[in-house]
């Protein structure tokens, strides 16, 4: 539904929107040369296939707002494990991937040029 006025408002149907193929080499969806527009996704969930590209990019836009949505990734750029042991002399960690999470070894080969990896450890 599009409302006309000083600022236009575009409201989409609430749902789950999956962006599986990027529009270009950097972005899943690029908005160009828009002005005075609010895009209301009505509480929708937006999923991007991968995490190392821009989801939405606004180029040459003025007074444009995207609102009322959540974003997630089909393949998150992170995982969670249970740390089982640490061997400082061998410089090794033993872990177990938590249910529903990827094994950290899947991050050994970057899927995007220039992709970097980082580790965070939380404990008591």
């Amino acid at each position: 539904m599009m409302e006309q006025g000083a600022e236009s408002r575009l409201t989409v149907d609430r749902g789950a929107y999956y962006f599986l193929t990027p529009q270009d080499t950097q972005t899943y969806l690029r908005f160009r040369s828009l002005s005075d527009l609010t895009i209301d996704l009505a509480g929708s969930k937006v999923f991007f296939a991968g995490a190392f590209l821009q989801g939405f990019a606004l180029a040459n836009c003025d007074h444009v707002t995207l609102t009322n949505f959540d974003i997630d990734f089909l393949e998150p750029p992170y995982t969670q494990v249970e740390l089982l042991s640490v061997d400082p002399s061998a410089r090794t960690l033993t872990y177990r991937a938590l249910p529903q999470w990827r094994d950290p070894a899947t991050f050994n080969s970057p899927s995007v040029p220039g992709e970097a990896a980082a580790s965070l450890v939380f404990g008591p």
Side-chain angles (χ1 to χ4, degrees):
M1 176 177 79
M2 186 79 137
E3 298 174 13
Q4 296 296 325
E7 179 178 284
S8 296
R9 182 178 198 88
L10 172 66
T11 303
V12 303
D13 291 335
R14 182 185 175 124
Y17 293 90
Y18 293 83
F19 292 84
L20 305 178
T21 306
Q23 181 177 349
D24 56 42
T25 59
Q26 298 177 334
T27 309
Y28 281 99
L29 184 60
R30 184 177 304 278
F31 297 95
R32 287 189 173 95
S33 303
L34 299 174
S35 62
D36 301 313
L37 175 65
T38 296
I39 301 171
D40 183 349
L41 286 127
S44 295
K45 304 273 187 200
V46 176
F47 296 94
F48 297 107
F52 294 102
L53 297 177
Q54 293 176 334
F56 299 127
L58 284 77
N60 300 318
C61 293
D62 189 34
H63 298 101
V64 174
T65 302
L66 285 94
T67 188
N68 202 8
F69 63 100
D70 293 326
I71 290 180
D72 207 344
F73 305 102
L74 296 179
E75 291 187 26
Y78 52 86
T79 191
Q80 295 186 29
V81 300
E82 178 183 3
L83 186 59
L84 302 173
S85 66
V86 177
D87 184 342
S89 60
R91 299 176 55 110
T92 60
L93 304 172
T94 304
Y95 64 87
R96 177 176 55 91
L98 296 178
Q100 308 299 315
W101 291 96
R102 296 191 302 177
D103 188 304
T106 63
F107 296 100
N108 287 346
S109 299
S111 58
V112 175
E115 180 181 336
S119 298
L120 300 172
V121 178
F122 300 95

